[in-house]
Amino acid sequence: VQLVESGGGLVKPGGSLRLSCAASGFTFRSYSMNWVRQAPGKGLEWVSSISSGSSSISYADSVKGRFTISRDNAKNSLYLQMNSLRVEDTAVYYCARLEAAVSGTLDSWGQGTLVTVSS
Amino acid sequence: EIVLTQSPGTLSLSPGERATLSCRASQSVSSSYLAWYQQRPGQAPRLLIYGTSSRATGIPDRFSGTGSGTDFTLTISRLEPDDFAVYYCQHYGNSPFPFGPGTKVDFK
């Protein structure tokens, strides 16, 4: 299992950014996927989840209405469109696989991509 | 919404010692949906325990989890150098999927 995030960078408050997560080594279309973030020196915060066929999507209240999760199963890719970014969105963003059959939780994680929101 | 608290914030121990980490939920949760993760500096989190007490693939048996209701515990029976890290509990029953604030296990 390999998850590789990309798309992070420096953006001004109010700006937008689109993160991607390229998946390999497993049948991507069969798994729900998640984004989890970690502000510098802080703990983990769940951000968003999408089911295998995109029929079920959920967001943390802190990002609802500003972030959009999506996926392309043909491309084995997960995305996070982030709009109206705030300073407090600065964090490392991880994509993580939800393994429903055994653990029911996030069993594989990427190495993360850093998003910095600053003027 | 369920809130998780962890104690202590920092645990200072020596290799070979036993570590006991606590996770408390703001309301009773199903033990089927309580997980523990380890995060070493500069690395992504790694799943250790799911369903309160089941070890994830490849996790050594010195890691064990117990608990029910609102109180859950991760025990590391004999600390090895690689175990000095931050540990997070998580409830994953229904979204949102909250994490606790973490317990750092560092060298005494």
Side-chain angles (χ1 to χ4, degrees):
Chain A
V1 175
Q2 189 170 20
L3 299 168
V4 179
E5 302 91 339
S6 61
L10 176 62
V11 61
K12 288 181 167 51
S16 298
L17 214 53
R18 189 196 197 205
L19 305 184
S20 300
C21 172
S24 60
F26 66 103
T27 306
F28 179 74
R29 64 179 181 271
S30 297
Y31 290 83
S32 294
M33 298 295 295
N34 288 251
W35 288 99
V36 176
R37 69 184 180 182
Q38 186 170 36
K42 302 297 185 183
L44 301 171
E45 180 187 15
W46 172 80
V47 172
S48 183
S49 176
I50 185 169
S51 62
S52 57
S54 304
S55 61
S56 178
I57 287 173
S58 55
Y59 298 98
D61 286 346
S62 57
V63 307
K64 203 171 292 183
R66 301 187 299 121
F67 290 11
T68 302
I69 192 172
S70 63
R71 63 190 295 161
D72 185 335
N73 287 342
K75 295 182 177 179
N76 291 341
S77 293
L78 173 72
Y79 306 102
L80 186 68
Q81 177 66 43
M82 304 186 296
N83 298 331
S84 303
L85 281 161
R86 305 168 179 167
V87 170
E88 55 265 34
D89 295 319
T90 295
V92 173
Y93 285 73
Y94 296 100
C95 70
R97 183 180 83 166
L98 193 150
E99 195 287 304
V102 178
S103 71
T105 190
L106 308 176
D107 73 328
S108 298
W109 298 60
Q111 282 305 301
T113 187
L114 176 62
V115 172
T116 303
V117 185
S118 174
S119 54
Chain B
E1 184 174 314
I2 294 167
V3 176
L4 301 177
T5 56
Q6 292 185 242
S7 61
T10 301
L11 197 51
S12 297
L13 295 168
S14 300
E17 289 193 296
R18 181 185 188 90
T20 303
L21 288 67
S22 174
C23 174
R24 178 163 289 178
S26 58
Q27 58 188 272
S28 184
V29 300
S30 169
S31 60
S32 298
Y33 302 119
L34 196 288
W36 291 90
Y37 297 84
Q38 176 194 65
Q39 188 176 34
R40 297 176 178 138
Q43 295 188 16
R46 175 175 74 143
L47 177 64
L48 293 177
I49 300 284
Y50 63 91
T52 295
S53 59
S54 298
R55 280 185 298 276
T57 302
I59 302 303
D61 60 7
R62 66 179 182 275
F63 291 92
S64 62
T66 59
S68 65
T70 60
D71 293 307
F72 299 86
T73 300
L74 173 69
T75 300
I76 311 170
S77 59
R78 295 172 308 280
L79 282 165
E80 296 197 0
D82 276 350
D83 300 338
F84 290 86
V86 181
Y87 294 83
Y88 296 94
C89 60
Q90 184 207 19
H91 179 254
Y92 54 96
N94 292 297
S95 70
F97 305 115
F99 291 88
T103 290
K104 182 179 182 180
V105 178
D106 69 6
F107 287 99
K108 189 189 301 184

Coordinates of all heavy atoms in Angstrom, one line a residue, chain A residues 4-71:
Chain A
V4 N 0.6 8.7 -1.7 CA 1.5 9.9 -1.9 C 0.7 11.1 -2.1 O 0.1 11.3 -3.1 CB 2.5 9.6 -3.1 CG1 3.4 10.8 -3.2 CG2 3.3 8.3 -2.9
E5 N 0.8 12.0 -1.2 CA 0.2 13.3 -1.3 C 1.0 14.3 -2.0 O 2.2 14.3 -2.0 CB -0.2 13.9 0.1 CG -1.0 13.0 1.0 CD -0.2 12.1 1.9 OE1 1.0 11.8 1.6 OE2 -0.7 11.6 3.0
S6 N 0.3 15.3 -2.7 CA 1.0 16.4 -3.3 C 0.1 17.6 -3.4 O -1.1 17.4 -3.1 CB 1.4 16.0 -4.8 OG 0.3 15.6 -5.5
G7 N 0.6 18.7 -3.8 CA -0.2 19.9 -4.0 C -0.1 20.9 -2.9 O -0.7 22.0 -3.0
G8 N 0.6 20.6 -1.8 CA 0.8 21.6 -0.7 C 1.6 22.7 -1.1 O 2.3 22.7 -2.2
G9 N 1.6 23.8 -0.3 CA 2.4 24.9 -0.6 C 2.0 26.1 0.2 O 1.2 26.0 1.2
L10 N 2.5 27.3 -0.1 CA 2.2 28.5 0.5 C 1.1 29.3 -0.2 O 1.2 29.4 -1.4 CB 3.5 29.4 0.6 CG 3.3 30.8 1.2 CD1 2.9 30.8 2.6 CD2 4.6 31.6 1.0
V11 N 0.1 29.7 0.5 CA -1.1 30.4 -0.1 C -1.5 31.5 0.9 O -1.4 31.3 2.1 CB -2.2 29.4 -0.4 CG1 -2.7 28.7 0.9 CG2 -3.3 30.0 -1.1
K12 N -2.0 32.5 0.3 CA -2.5 33.7 1.1 C -3.9 33.4 1.7 O -4.7 32.6 1.1 CB -2.5 34.9 0.3 CG -1.2 35.5 0.0 CD -1.3 36.8 -0.8 CE 0.0 37.6 -0.9 NZ 1.1 36.8 -1.4
P13 N -4.2 34.0 2.9 CA -5.5 33.8 3.4 C -6.6 34.2 2.4 O -6.4 35.2 1.6 CB -5.5 34.8 4.6 CG -4.1 34.9 5.0 CD -3.3 34.8 3.7
G14 N -7.6 33.4 2.3 CA -8.7 33.6 1.3 C -8.4 32.8 0.0 O -9.3 32.7 -0.9
G15 N -7.2 32.3 -0.2 CA -6.9 31.6 -1.4 C -7.4 30.2 -1.4 O -8.0 29.7 -0.5
S16 N -7.0 29.5 -2.5 CA -7.4 28.1 -2.7 C -6.2 27.2 -3.0 O -5.2 27.7 -3.5 CB -8.4 28.0 -3.9 OG -9.6 28.8 -3.6
L17 N -6.4 26.0 -2.8 CA -5.4 25.0 -3.1 C -6.1 23.6 -3.3 O -7.1 23.4 -2.7 CB -4.4 24.9 -1.9 CG -2.9 24.6 -2.1 CD1 -2.3 25.5 -3.1 CD2 -2.2 24.6 -0.8
R18 N -5.5 22.8 -4.2 CA -6.1 21.5 -4.4 C -5.0 20.4 -4.1 O -3.9 20.4 -4.7 CB -6.5 21.3 -5.8 CG -7.3 20.0 -6.0 CD -7.4 19.7 -7.5 NE -8.5 18.7 -7.8 CZ -8.5 17.9 -8.9 NH1 -7.5 18.0 -9.7 NH2 -9.5 17.0 -9.0
L19 N -5.3 19.6 -3.1 CA -4.4 18.5 -2.7 C -4.8 17.2 -3.5 O -6.0 17.0 -3.8 CB -4.5 18.2 -1.2 CG -4.2 19.4 -0.3 CD1 -4.2 18.9 1.1 CD2 -2.9 20.1 -0.7
S20 N -3.8 16.4 -3.8 CA -4.0 15.1 -4.4 C -3.3 14.0 -3.6 O -2.4 14.3 -2.9 CB -3.4 15.1 -5.9 OG -4.0 16.1 -6.7
C21 N -3.9 12.9 -3.7 CA -3.3 11.7 -3.1 C -3.3 10.6 -4.1 O -4.4 10.1 -4.5 CB -4.1 11.3 -1.9 SG -3.6 9.7 -1.1
A22 N -2.1 10.1 -4.5 CA -2.0 9.0 -5.5 C -1.9 7.7 -4.7 O -1.0 7.5 -3.9 CB -0.8 9.2 -6.4
A23 N -2.8 6.8 -5.0 CA -2.8 5.5 -4.3 C -2.3 4.4 -5.2 O -2.6 4.3 -6.4 CB -4.2 5.2 -3.9
S24 N -1.6 3.4 -4.6 CA -1.1 2.2 -5.4 C -1.0 1.1 -4.4 O -0.9 1.3 -3.2 CB 0.2 2.5 -6.1 OG 1.2 2.9 -5.2
G25 N -0.9 -0.1 -5.0 CA -0.7 -1.3 -4.2 C -1.9 -1.9 -3.6 O -1.8 -2.9 -2.8
F26 N -3.1 -1.4 -3.9 CA -4.3 -2.0 -3.4 C -5.4 -1.5 -4.4 O -5.2 -0.7 -5.2 CB -4.6 -1.6 -2.0 CG -4.9 -0.1 -1.8 CD1 -6.2 0.4 -1.6 CD2 -3.9 0.8 -1.7 CE1 -6.5 1.7 -1.4 CE2 -4.1 2.2 -1.5 CZ -5.4 2.6 -1.4
T27 N -6.6 -2.1 -4.2 CA -7.8 -1.9 -5.1 C -8.4 -0.6 -4.6 O -9.4 -0.7 -3.8 CB -8.7 -3.1 -5.2 OG1 -8.0 -4.2 -5.5 CG2 -9.8 -2.8 -6.2
F28 N -8.0 0.5 -5.1 CA -8.4 1.8 -4.6 C -9.9 2.0 -4.5 O -10.5 2.5 -3.6 CB -7.8 2.9 -5.4 CG -8.1 4.3 -5.0 CD1 -7.6 4.9 -3.9 CD2 -9.0 5.1 -5.8 CE1 -8.0 6.2 -3.5 CE2 -9.4 6.4 -5.5 CZ -8.8 7.0 -4.3
R29 N -10.6 1.5 -5.6 CA -12.0 1.7 -5.8 C -12.9 1.0 -4.7 O -14.0 1.3 -4.6 CB -12.5 1.3 -7.1 CG -12.3 -0.2 -7.4 CD -12.9 -0.6 -8.8 NE -12.7 -2.0 -9.0 CZ -11.6 -2.6 -9.6 NH1 -10.6 -1.8 -9.9 NH2 -11.6 -3.9 -9.8
S30 N -12.2 0.1 -3.9 CA -12.9 -0.7 -2.9 C -12.9 -0.1 -1.5 O -13.5 -0.6 -0.6 CB -12.4 -2.1 -2.9 OG -12.5 -2.8 -4.1
Y31 N -12.1 1.0 -1.4 CA -11.9 1.6 0.0 C -12.4 3.0 0.1 O -12.2 3.8 -0.8 CB -10.4 1.6 0.3 CG -9.8 0.2 0.5 CD1 -9.4 -0.6 -0.6 CD2 -9.7 -0.3 1.8 CE1 -8.9 -1.8 -0.4 CE2 -9.2 -1.6 2.0 CZ -8.8 -2.3 0.9 OH -8.3 -3.6 1.1
S32 N -13.0 3.3 1.3 CA -13.3 4.7 1.7 C -11.9 5.3 2.0 O -11.0 4.6 2.4 CB -14.2 4.7 2.9 OG -15.4 4.3 2.6
M33 N -11.8 6.6 1.8 CA -10.6 7.4 2.0 C -10.9 8.6 2.9 O -12.0 9.1 2.9 CB -10.0 7.8 0.7 CG -9.6 6.6 -0.2 SD -8.3 5.6 0.4 CE -6.9 6.8 0.5
N34 N -9.9 9.0 3.5 CA -10.0 10.2 4.5 C -8.8 11.1 4.3 O -7.7 10.8 3.8 CB -9.9 9.6 5.9 CG -11.2 8.9 6.3 OD1 -12.0 9.4 7.1 ND2 -11.4 7.7 5.7
W35 N -9.1 12.4 4.7 CA -8.0 13.4 4.9 C -8.0 13.7 6.4 O -9.0 13.9 7.1 CB -8.3 14.6 4.2 CG -8.1 14.5 2.7 CD1 -9.1 14.3 1.7 CD2 -6.9 14.6 2.0 NE1 -8.5 14.3 0.5 CE2 -7.2 14.4 0.6 CE3 -5.5 14.8 2.3 CZ2 -6.2 14.4 -0.4 CZ3 -4.6 14.8 1.3 CH2 -4.9 14.6 0.0
V36 N -6.8 13.7 7.0 CA -6.5 14.1 8.4 C -5.4 15.1 8.4 O -4.4 15.0 7.6 CB -6.1 12.8 9.2 CG1 -5.7 13.2 10.6 CG2 -7.2 11.8 9.2
R37 N -5.5 16.1 9.2 CA -4.5 17.2 9.2 C -3.8 17.3 10.6 O -4.4 16.9 11.6 CB -5.0 18.5 8.7 CG -6.0 19.2 9.7 CD -6.5 20.4 9.0 NE -7.5 21.1 9.9 CZ -8.2 22.2 9.5 NH1 -8.0 22.8 8.3 NH2 -9.0 22.8 10.4
Q38 N -2.7 17.9 10.6 CA -1.9 18.1 11.8 C -1.2 19.5 11.7 O -0.3 19.7 11.0 CB -0.9 17.0 12.0 CG -0.2 17.1 13.3 CD 0.6 15.8 13.6 OE1 1.2 15.2 12.7 NE2 0.7 15.4 14.8
A39 N -1.7 20.4 12.5 CA -1.1 21.8 12.6 C 0.3 21.6 13.2 O 0.5 20.7 14.0 CB -1.9 22.7 13.4
P40 N 1.2 22.5 12.9 CA 2.6 22.4 13.4 C 2.6 22.3 15.0 O 2.1 23.1 15.7 CB 3.2 23.7 13.0 CG 2.5 24.1 11.8 CD 1.1 23.7 12.0
G41 N 3.2 21.2 15.4 CA 3.4 21.0 16.9 C 2.1 20.6 17.6 O 2.1 20.5 18.8
K42 N 1.0 20.3 16.8 CA -0.3 20.0 17.4 C -0.7 18.5 17.1 O 0.1 17.8 16.5 CB -1.3 20.9 16.9 CG -1.0 22.4 17.1 CD -1.0 22.7 18.6 CE -0.8 24.2 18.8 NZ -0.7 24.6 20.2
G43 N -1.9 18.2 17.6 CA -2.4 16.8 17.4 C -3.1 16.6 16.1 O -3.1 17.5 15.2
L44 N -3.6 15.4 15.9 CA -4.3 15.0 14.7 C -5.8 15.5 14.7 O -6.4 15.5 15.7 CB -4.3 13.5 14.5 CG -2.9 12.9 14.5 CD1 -3.1 11.3 14.6 CD2 -2.1 13.3 13.3
E45 N -6.2 16.0 13.5 CA -7.6 16.4 13.3 C -8.2 15.8 12.1 O -7.7 16.0 11.0 CB -7.7 17.9 13.2 CG -9.1 18.4 13.0 CD -9.2 19.9 12.8 OE1 -8.2 20.5 12.4 OE2 -10.3 20.5 12.8
W46 N -9.2 15.0 12.2 CA -9.9 14.4 11.1 C -10.6 15.5 10.3 O -11.2 16.4 10.9 CB -10.9 13.4 11.5 CG -11.8 12.9 10.4 CD1 -11.5 12.0 9.5 CD2 -13.1 13.4 10.1 NE1 -12.5 11.8 8.6 CE2 -13.5 12.7 9.0 CE3 -14.0 14.3 10.7 CZ2 -14.8 12.9 8.4 CZ3 -15.2 14.5 10.1 CH2 -15.6 13.8 9.0
V47 N -10.4 15.5 9.0 CA -10.9 16.6 8.1 C -12.1 16.1 7.3 O -13.2 16.8 7.3 CB -9.8 17.1 7.2 CG1 -10.4 18.1 6.1 CG2 -8.7 17.7 7.9
S48 N -12.0 15.0 6.6 CA -13.1 14.6 5.7 C -13.0 13.1 5.3 O -11.9 12.5 5.4 CB -13.0 15.5 4.4 OG -14.1 15.2 3.5
S49 N -14.1 12.6 4.9 CA -14.1 11.2 4.5 C -15.0 11.0 3.2 O -16.0 11.7 3.1 CB -14.7 10.4 5.6 OG -14.9 9.0 5.3
I50 N -14.7 10.1 2.4 CA -15.5 9.8 1.2 C -15.5 8.3 1.0 O -14.5 7.6 1.2 CB -14.8 10.5 -0.1 CG1 -15.7 10.3 -1.3 CG2 -13.4 10.0 -0.3 CD1 -15.3 11.2 -2.5
S51 N -16.7 7.8 0.7 CA -16.9 6.3 0.5 C -16.3 5.9 -0.8 O -15.9 6.7 -1.6 CB -18.4 6.0 0.6 OG -19.1 6.6 -0.4
S52 N -16.3 4.6 -1.0 CA -15.6 4.0 -2.2 C -16.2 4.5 -3.5 O -15.5 4.8 -4.4 CB -15.6 2.5 -2.1 OG -17.0 2.0 -2.0
G53 N -17.5 4.7 -3.5 CA -18.2 5.1 -4.7 C -18.6 6.6 -4.7 O -19.4 7.0 -5.6
S54 N -18.1 7.3 -3.7 CA -18.4 8.7 -3.5 C -19.8 9.1 -3.1 O -20.2 10.2 -3.1 CB -18.1 9.5 -4.8 OG -16.7 9.3 -5.2
S55 N -20.6 8.1 -2.7 CA -22.0 8.3 -2.4 C -22.1 8.9 -1.0 O -23.1 9.5 -0.7 CB -22.8 7.0 -2.5 OG -22.3 6.0 -1.6
S56 N -21.1 8.7 -0.1 CA -21.2 9.2 1.3 C -20.0 10.0 1.5 O -18.8 9.5 1.4 CB -21.3 8.0 2.2 OG -21.3 8.5 3.6
I57 N -20.2 11.3 1.9 CA -19.1 12.2 2.2 C -19.4 12.9 3.5 O -20.6 13.2 3.8 CB -19.0 13.2 1.0 CG1 -18.4 12.6 -0.2 CG2 -18.2 14.5 1.4 CD1 -18.4 13.5 -1.5
S58 N -18.4 13.2 4.3 CA -18.6 13.9 5.5 C -17.4 14.8 5.7 O -16.3 14.6 5.2 CB -18.8 13.0 6.7 OG -17.8 12.0 6.8
Y59 N -17.6 15.9 6.5 CA -16.6 16.9 6.8 C -16.6 17.3 8.3 O -17.7 17.2 8.9 CB -16.9 18.2 6.0 CG -16.8 18.0 4.5 CD1 -18.0 17.8 3.8 CD2 -15.6 18.0 3.8 CE1 -18.0 17.7 2.4 CE2 -15.6 17.9 2.4 CZ -16.8 17.7 1.7 OH -16.8 17.5 0.4
A60 N -15.5 17.7 8.8 CA -15.4 18.3 10.1 C -16.1 19.7 10.0 O -16.0 20.3 8.9 CB -13.9 18.4 10.5
D61 N -16.7 20.1 11.1 CA -17.3 21.4 11.1 C -16.4 22.5 10.7 O -16.8 23.5 10.1 CB -17.9 21.7 12.5 CG -19.2 20.8 12.8 OD1 -19.7 20.3 11.8 OD2 -19.6 20.7 13.9
S62 N -15.1 22.4 11.1 CA -14.1 23.4 10.9 C -13.9 23.7 9.4 O -13.3 24.7 9.0 CB -12.8 23.1 11.6 OG -12.3 21.8 11.1
V63 N -14.2 22.7 8.5 CA -13.9 22.9 7.1 C -15.2 22.9 6.2 O -15.1 23.1 5.0 CB -12.9 21.9 6.6 CG1 -11.6 21.9 7.4 CG2 -13.5 20.5 6.5
K64 N -16.3 22.5 6.8 CA -17.5 22.4 6.1 C -17.9 23.7 5.3 O -17.8 24.8 5.9 CB -18.7 22.0 7.0 CG -19.9 21.3 6.4 CD -20.8 20.8 7.5 CE -20.2 19.7 8.3 NZ -21.2 19.1 9.3
G65 N -18.2 23.5 4.1 CA -18.6 24.7 3.2 C -17.4 25.3 2.6 O -17.5 26.2 1.7
R66 N -16.2 24.9 3.0 CA -15.0 25.5 2.4 C -14.1 24.4 1.6 O -13.5 24.8 0.6 CB -14.1 26.2 3.4 CG -14.8 27.3 4.2 CD -13.8 28.0 5.1 NE -13.2 27.1 6.1 CZ -11.9 26.8 6.3 NH1 -11.0 27.4 5.5 NH2 -11.5 26.0 7.3
F67 N -14.1 23.2 2.1 CA -13.4 22.1 1.5 C -14.3 21.2 0.8 O -15.4 20.9 1.3 CB -12.6 21.4 2.6 CG -11.4 22.1 3.2 CD1 -11.2 23.5 3.0 CD2 -10.5 21.5 4.0 CE1 -10.2 24.2 3.6 CE2 -9.5 22.1 4.6 CZ -9.3 23.5 4.4
T68 N -13.8 20.6 -0.3 CA -14.6 19.5 -1.0 C -13.7 18.3 -1.3 O -12.6 18.5 -1.9 CB -15.1 20.1 -2.3 OG1 -15.9 21.2 -2.1 CG2 -15.9 19.0 -3.0
I69 N -14.1 17.2 -0.8 CA -13.4 16.0 -1.0 C -13.9 15.3 -2.3 O -15.1 15.3 -2.5 CB -13.4 15.0 0.2 CG1 -12.5 13.8 0.1 CG2 -14.9 14.5 0.4 CD1 -12.4 13.0 1.3
S70 N -13.1 14.7 -3.1 CA -13.5 13.9 -4.2 C -12.5 12.8 -4.6 O -11.4 12.8 -4.0 CB -13.7 14.9 -5.4 OG -12.5 15.5 -5.8
R71 N -12.9 12.0 -5.5 CA -12.0 10.9 -5.9 C -12.2 10.6 -7.3 O -13.3 10.8 -7.9 CB -12.2 9.7 -5.0 CG -13.5 9.1 -5.1 CD -13.7 8.0 -4.0 NE -12.8 6.9 -4.1 CZ -12.5 6.0 -3.1 NH1 -13.0 6.2 -1.9 NH2 -11.7 5.0 -3.4

